[in-house]
Amino acid sequence: MAVAPTGRTRRSPVRPLMLLFLLVVMTVPVYLLVVNTFKSQEDILNSPFSFPLADLTVKHLMDAIRSPQYNVIKGYGFTLFLVIVVDILCILMAGPAAYAIARSLKKRTQLVMLYFLAGTFIPGAALIIPVIYVLRSVGLANTVAGLIAHDVASTLPVSIFLFVGFIRTIPGSIDQAAMIDGAGRLRTFWTIIFPLMRPAVVTVLILNSIGIWNDFVSPQILLSPGSGRYTVTTAIYAGISQYSTDLTKVFPNLLLAIAPVVIFFIYMQRHIISGLTVGAVKG
Protein backbone atom coordinates (compact mmCIF):
# COMPACT_ATOMS: atom_id res chain seq x y z
CA MET A 1 0.00 0.00 0.00
CA ALA A 2 1.33 3.41 -0.94
CA VAL A 3 2.10 5.73 1.91
CA ALA A 4 0.44 9.13 1.63
CA PRO A 5 2.84 12.04 1.70
CA THR A 6 3.01 13.68 5.10
CA GLY A 7 3.98 17.11 3.82
CA ARG A 8 5.09 19.18 0.90
CA THR A 9 8.43 18.23 -0.63
CA ARG A 10 11.12 20.64 0.45
CA ARG A 11 12.79 22.34 -2.49
CA SER A 12 16.53 22.65 -2.68
CA PRO A 13 17.83 26.22 -2.28
CA VAL A 14 20.62 25.62 -4.81
CA ARG A 15 18.63 26.72 -7.86
CA PRO A 16 17.38 30.04 -6.41
CA LEU A 17 20.89 30.80 -5.15
CA MET A 18 22.40 30.10 -8.56
CA LEU A 19 19.80 32.30 -10.25
CA LEU A 20 20.49 35.06 -7.75
CA PHE A 21 24.23 34.74 -8.35
CA LEU A 22 23.78 34.95 -12.13
CA LEU A 23 21.48 37.95 -11.71
CA VAL A 24 24.12 39.78 -9.69
CA VAL A 25 26.94 38.87 -12.09
CA MET A 26 24.96 40.14 -15.08
CA THR A 27 23.43 43.20 -13.43
CA VAL A 28 26.45 44.73 -11.68
CA PRO A 29 28.47 45.51 -14.87
CA VAL A 30 25.40 47.08 -16.49
CA TYR A 31 24.73 49.15 -13.38
CA LEU A 32 28.34 50.37 -13.28
CA LEU A 33 28.23 51.31 -16.94
CA VAL A 34 24.96 53.23 -16.69
CA VAL A 35 25.58 55.08 -13.43
CA ASN A 36 29.18 56.05 -14.22
CA THR A 37 28.13 57.50 -17.57
CA PHE A 38 26.56 60.41 -15.70
CA LYS A 39 29.31 61.02 -13.11
CA SER A 40 32.49 63.05 -13.03
CA GLN A 41 35.96 61.55 -13.22
CA GLU A 42 36.52 62.09 -9.51
CA ASP A 43 33.23 60.44 -8.53
CA ILE A 44 33.94 57.45 -10.80
CA LEU A 45 37.36 56.88 -9.24
CA ASN A 46 36.32 57.48 -5.63
CA SER A 47 32.90 55.81 -5.54
CA PRO A 48 32.09 53.86 -8.71
CA PHE A 49 29.14 52.05 -7.09
CA SER A 50 27.46 55.12 -5.61
CA PHE A 51 24.33 56.66 -7.06
CA PRO A 52 24.46 60.35 -6.07
CA LEU A 53 21.33 61.84 -7.60
CA ALA A 54 22.42 65.41 -6.91
CA ASP A 55 25.75 65.04 -8.73
CA LEU A 56 24.62 63.19 -11.85
CA THR A 57 25.03 65.04 -15.14
CA VAL A 58 24.29 64.40 -18.81
CA LYS A 59 27.16 66.63 -19.96
CA HIS A 60 29.58 63.79 -20.67
CA LEU A 61 26.95 61.82 -22.57
CA MET A 62 26.07 64.85 -24.72
CA ASP A 63 29.78 65.47 -25.36
CA ALA A 64 30.11 61.91 -26.64
CA ILE A 65 27.08 62.36 -28.92
CA ARG A 66 28.37 65.64 -30.34
CA SER A 67 32.01 64.57 -30.63
CA PRO A 68 33.21 65.42 -34.17
CA GLN A 69 35.95 62.75 -34.12
CA TYR A 70 35.18 59.01 -34.15
CA ASN A 71 31.55 59.64 -33.26
CA VAL A 72 29.77 56.47 -32.18
CA ILE A 73 26.46 57.85 -33.42
CA LYS A 74 27.95 58.15 -36.93
CA GLY A 75 29.02 54.53 -36.64
CA TYR A 76 25.36 53.55 -36.26
CA GLY A 77 24.68 54.24 -39.94
CA PHE A 78 27.54 52.16 -41.33
CA THR A 79 26.92 49.31 -38.88
CA LEU A 80 23.21 49.29 -39.73
CA PHE A 81 24.13 49.17 -43.43
CA LEU A 82 26.32 46.12 -42.78
CA VAL A 83 23.58 44.43 -40.76
CA ILE A 84 20.94 44.88 -43.47
CA VAL A 85 23.14 43.82 -46.40
CA VAL A 86 24.62 40.79 -44.61
CA ASP A 87 21.20 39.65 -43.37
CA ILE A 88 19.67 39.84 -46.85
CA LEU A 89 22.55 37.99 -48.53
CA CYS A 90 22.64 35.40 -45.76
CA ILE A 91 18.92 34.62 -46.13
CA LEU A 92 19.19 34.45 -49.93
CA MET A 93 22.04 31.91 -49.69
CA ALA A 94 21.21 29.96 -46.53
CA GLY A 95 17.53 29.41 -47.35
CA PRO A 96 17.88 27.46 -50.63
CA ALA A 97 20.95 25.61 -49.33
CA ALA A 98 19.11 24.50 -46.21
CA TYR A 99 16.08 23.46 -48.27
CA ALA A 100 18.21 21.28 -50.54
CA ILE A 101 19.93 19.65 -47.56
CA ALA A 102 16.73 19.11 -45.58
CA ARG A 103 14.86 17.49 -48.47
CA SER A 104 17.69 15.20 -49.57
CA LEU A 105 18.52 11.84 -48.01
CA LYS A 106 21.75 11.30 -49.94
CA LYS A 107 24.92 10.75 -47.90
CA ARG A 108 26.87 13.35 -49.83
CA THR A 109 24.24 15.94 -48.95
CA GLN A 110 24.59 15.08 -45.28
CA LEU A 111 28.36 15.46 -45.65
CA VAL A 112 27.72 18.98 -46.92
CA MET A 113 25.69 19.60 -43.76
CA LEU A 114 28.58 18.36 -41.63
CA TYR A 115 30.88 20.66 -43.57
CA PHE A 116 28.72 23.64 -42.66
CA LEU A 117 28.50 22.49 -39.04
CA ALA A 118 32.29 22.35 -38.88
CA GLY A 119 32.29 26.08 -39.49
CA THR A 120 30.49 26.68 -36.20
CA PHE A 121 33.40 25.23 -34.21
CA ILE A 122 36.12 27.41 -35.70
CA PRO A 123 36.72 30.70 -33.84
CA GLY A 124 36.23 33.66 -36.13
CA ALA A 125 39.44 35.34 -34.95
CA ALA A 126 41.46 32.29 -36.05
CA LEU A 127 40.30 32.79 -39.65
CA ILE A 128 41.13 36.47 -39.98
CA ILE A 129 44.66 36.03 -41.33
CA PRO A 130 43.66 33.44 -43.98
CA VAL A 131 40.69 35.65 -44.91
CA ILE A 132 43.04 38.60 -45.46
CA TYR A 133 45.12 36.57 -47.94
CA VAL A 134 41.99 35.37 -49.76
CA LEU A 135 40.53 38.88 -50.01
CA ARG A 136 43.87 40.23 -51.18
CA SER A 137 44.07 37.62 -53.92
CA VAL A 138 40.63 38.53 -55.27
CA GLY A 139 41.14 42.29 -54.96
CA LEU A 140 38.74 42.88 -52.06
CA ALA A 141 41.28 43.66 -49.33
CA ASN A 142 40.48 46.75 -47.27
CA THR A 143 37.07 47.17 -48.92
CA VAL A 144 33.51 47.20 -47.63
CA ALA A 145 32.64 44.44 -50.11
CA GLY A 146 35.37 42.24 -48.61
CA LEU A 147 34.03 42.81 -45.09
CA ILE A 148 30.49 41.99 -46.23
CA ALA A 149 31.69 38.80 -47.94
CA HIS A 150 33.46 37.72 -44.75
CA ASP A 151 30.44 38.47 -42.56
CA VAL A 152 28.08 36.59 -44.87
CA ALA A 153 30.37 33.55 -44.90
CA SER A 154 30.67 33.60 -41.10
CA THR A 155 26.90 33.72 -40.58
CA LEU A 156 26.01 30.94 -43.03
CA PRO A 157 26.87 27.86 -40.88
CA VAL A 158 24.54 28.65 -37.97
CA SER A 159 21.85 30.00 -40.30
CA ILE A 160 21.85 26.84 -42.44
CA PHE A 161 21.84 24.64 -39.33
CA LEU A 162 18.76 26.38 -37.90
CA PHE A 163 16.97 26.42 -41.25
CA VAL A 164 17.58 22.72 -41.90
CA GLY A 165 16.19 21.78 -38.50
CA PHE A 166 13.05 23.83 -39.10
CA ILE A 167 12.44 22.74 -42.70
CA ARG A 168 12.57 19.09 -41.64
CA THR A 169 9.52 19.73 -39.45
CA ILE A 170 7.52 20.86 -42.50
CA PRO A 171 5.74 17.90 -44.18
CA GLY A 172 7.20 16.90 -47.53
CA SER A 173 3.67 16.45 -48.88
CA ILE A 174 3.49 20.24 -49.23
CA ASP A 175 6.37 20.14 -51.71
CA GLN A 176 4.78 17.30 -53.63
CA ALA A 177 1.48 19.13 -53.92
CA ALA A 178 3.25 22.24 -55.21
CA MET A 179 5.18 20.23 -57.81
CA ILE A 180 1.97 18.57 -59.00
CA ASP A 181 0.63 22.07 -59.63
CA GLY A 182 3.67 22.78 -61.80
CA ALA A 183 5.90 24.69 -59.37
CA GLY A 184 9.65 24.12 -59.58
CA ARG A 185 11.84 23.61 -56.55
CA LEU A 186 12.92 27.25 -56.25
CA ARG A 187 9.37 28.51 -56.65
CA THR A 188 8.15 25.93 -54.12
CA PHE A 189 10.70 27.09 -51.62
CA TRP A 190 10.24 30.87 -51.94
CA THR A 191 6.44 30.92 -52.31
CA ILE A 192 5.42 28.07 -49.98
CA ILE A 193 8.19 26.85 -47.67
CA PHE A 194 9.90 30.17 -46.94
CA PRO A 195 6.76 31.89 -45.56
CA LEU A 196 6.32 28.94 -43.18
CA MET A 197 9.88 29.47 -41.91
CA ARG A 198 9.09 32.86 -40.35
CA PRO A 199 10.06 31.87 -36.75
CA ALA A 200 13.41 30.47 -37.88
CA VAL A 201 14.07 33.41 -40.22
CA VAL A 202 13.37 35.94 -37.46
CA THR A 203 15.68 34.06 -35.09
CA VAL A 204 18.49 33.99 -37.65
CA LEU A 205 18.08 37.69 -38.42
CA ILE A 206 18.22 38.61 -34.73
CA LEU A 207 21.26 36.47 -33.93
CA ASN A 208 23.15 37.64 -37.03
CA SER A 209 22.28 41.29 -36.41
CA ILE A 210 23.52 41.19 -32.83
CA GLY A 211 26.69 39.37 -33.87
CA ILE A 212 27.51 41.88 -36.62
CA TRP A 213 26.74 44.86 -34.38
CA ASN A 214 29.05 43.59 -31.63
CA ASP A 215 31.85 42.39 -33.94
CA PHE A 216 35.13 44.22 -33.42
CA VAL A 217 37.91 42.02 -34.79
CA SER A 218 36.65 41.69 -38.38
CA PRO A 219 36.01 45.38 -39.19
CA GLN A 220 39.08 46.50 -37.27
CA ILE A 221 41.43 44.26 -39.26
CA LEU A 222 39.67 44.00 -42.63
CA LEU A 223 39.06 47.77 -42.83
CA SER A 224 42.13 49.85 -42.06
CA PRO A 225 41.73 53.23 -40.32
CA GLY A 226 42.69 54.87 -43.60
CA SER A 227 39.42 53.70 -45.14
CA GLY A 228 37.50 56.19 -43.03
CA ARG A 229 34.84 53.58 -42.27
CA TYR A 230 34.04 52.89 -38.63
CA THR A 231 31.50 50.53 -37.15
CA VAL A 232 30.17 51.14 -33.65
CA THR A 233 32.84 48.99 -32.02
CA THR A 234 35.78 50.30 -34.05
CA ALA A 235 34.60 53.88 -33.48
CA ILE A 236 34.74 53.25 -29.73
CA TYR A 237 38.23 51.83 -30.00
CA ALA A 238 39.46 54.70 -32.15
CA GLY A 239 37.78 57.32 -30.01
CA ILE A 240 38.68 56.23 -26.49
CA SER A 241 42.03 54.51 -27.06
CA GLN A 242 43.75 57.88 -26.81
CA TYR A 243 41.63 58.81 -23.77
CA SER A 244 41.75 55.50 -21.95
CA THR A 245 42.32 57.19 -18.59
CA ASP A 246 39.48 59.69 -19.10
CA LEU A 247 36.56 57.63 -17.84
CA THR A 248 34.09 60.41 -18.66
CA LYS A 249 34.71 59.53 -22.32
CA VAL A 250 34.96 55.76 -21.91
CA PHE A 251 31.66 55.09 -20.14
CA PRO A 252 29.39 57.34 -22.28
CA ASN A 253 30.77 55.87 -25.53
CA LEU A 254 30.33 52.33 -24.27
CA LEU A 255 26.75 53.05 -23.24
CA LEU A 256 25.96 54.54 -26.64
CA ALA A 257 27.38 51.44 -28.30
CA ILE A 258 25.49 48.78 -26.36
CA ALA A 259 22.19 50.59 -25.72
CA PRO A 260 20.62 49.89 -29.16
CA VAL A 261 21.53 46.21 -29.23
CA VAL A 262 20.38 45.64 -25.62
CA ILE A 263 17.02 47.29 -26.31
CA PHE A 264 16.72 45.32 -29.54
CA PHE A 265 17.49 42.02 -27.78
CA ILE A 266 15.06 42.66 -24.90
CA TYR A 267 12.28 43.49 -27.36
CA MET A 268 12.96 40.51 -29.64
CA GLN A 269 13.99 37.83 -27.11
CA ARG A 270 10.63 36.04 -27.28
CA HIS A 271 11.11 35.57 -31.03
CA ILE A 272 14.57 34.08 -30.41
CA ILE A 273 13.22 31.57 -27.90
CA SER A 274 10.24 30.59 -30.06
CA GLY A 275 12.41 30.22 -33.14
CA LEU A 276 14.92 27.98 -31.40
CA THR A 277 12.29 25.73 -29.77
CA VAL A 278 9.65 25.44 -32.48
CA GLY A 279 11.54 22.65 -34.24
CA ALA A 280 11.80 20.64 -31.04
CA VAL A 281 8.07 21.07 -30.36
CA LYS A 282 7.02 20.00 -33.86
CA GLY A 283 9.52 17.17 -34.09
Side-chain angles (χ1 to χ4, degrees):
M1 181 180 293
V3 179
T6 57
R8 183 176 296 178
T9 303
R10 187 175 181 181
R11 294 184 178 181
S12 172
V14 176
R15 183 178 179 183
L17 289 176
M18 287 297 297
L19 291 175
L20 179 61
F21 173 75
L22 291 175
L23 177 64
V24 172
V25 170
M26 298 176 66
T27 304
V28 169
V30 177
Y31 168 78
L32 287 174
L33 175 60
V34 173
V35 72
N36 288 319
T37 297
F38 305 97
K39 292 160 66 173
S40 64
Q41 177 86 355
E42 182 179 357
D43 289 338
I44 295 175
L45 294 175
N46 294 335
S47 52
F49 286 92
S50 66
F51 192 76
L53 289 174
D55 298 329
L56 297 182
T57 176
V58 297
K59 176 182 181 300
H60 307 302
L61 182 62
M62 297 306 297
D63 289 343
I65 293 175
R66 293 192 295 258
S67 174
Q69 187 180 23
Y70 309 124
N71 194 316
V72 175
I73 299 298
K74 292 181 180 179
Y76 284 175
F78 181 59
T79 308
L80 188 60
F81 165 77
L82 286 178
V83 168
I84 294 174
V85 173
V86 172
D87 280 343
I88 292 175
L89 293 177
C90 178
I91 296 300
L92 291 176
M93 295 181 184
Y99 178 63
I101 293 173
R103 288 296 189 246
S104 176
L105 299 178
K106 297 179 181 179
K107 289 186 177 181
R108 61 186 180 186
T109 308
Q110 303 310 311
L111 289 177
V112 173
M113 181 62 188
L114 291 177
Y115 173 77
F116 282 116
L117 283 178
T120 63
F121 298 101
I122 303 176
L127 298 175
I128 289 295
I129 302 302
V131 166
I132 292 176
Y133 282 101
V134 172
L135 293 178
R136 190 175 296 170
S137 64
V138 296
L140 293 177
N142 196 29
T143 63
V144 176
L147 176 60
I148 291 174
H150 168 268
D151 287 345
V152 171
S154 63
T155 57
L156 282 177
V158 174
S159 302
I160 292 175
F161 174 72
L162 293 176
F163 284 169
V164 168
F166 189 88
I167 293 173
R168 284 175 175 170
T169 67
I170 300 175
S173 57
I174 296 178
D175 306 55
Q176 297 171 5
M179 292 179 182
I180 291 175
D181 291 337
R185 299 199 67 181
L186 277 177
R187 183 180 176 186
T188 299
F189 172 73
W190 288 116
T191 60
I192 299 176
I193 302 300
F194 186 74
L196 299 176
M197 294 169 52
R198 182 178 178 274
V201 171
V202 172
T203 301
V204 166
L205 291 177
I206 294 172
L207 295 177
N208 289 347
S209 299
I210 294 176
I212 297 168
W213 187 279
N214 293 331
D215 187 21
F216 168 74
V217 176
S218 301
Q220 177 66 17
I221 296 179
L222 299 182
L223 288 180
S224 67
S227 66
R229 299 283 190 173
Y230 292 94
T231 63
V232 170
T233 53
T234 56
I236 291 176
Y237 177 77
I240 69 177
S241 59
Q242 55 184 321
Y243 305 110
S244 58
T245 57
D246 188 352
L247 300 180
T248 61
K249 288 184 171 60
V250 173
F251 283 107
N253 279 282
L254 291 176
L255 180 62
L256 289 173
I258 72 167
V261 72
V262 170
I263 295 172
F264 177 72
F265 178 80
I266 292 175
Y267 179 74
M268 301 296 290
Q269 62 177 329
R270 63 188 180 90
H271 295 286
I272 299 177
I273 296 172
S274 63
L276 290 175
T277 58
V278 69
V281 173
K282 290 186 177 181

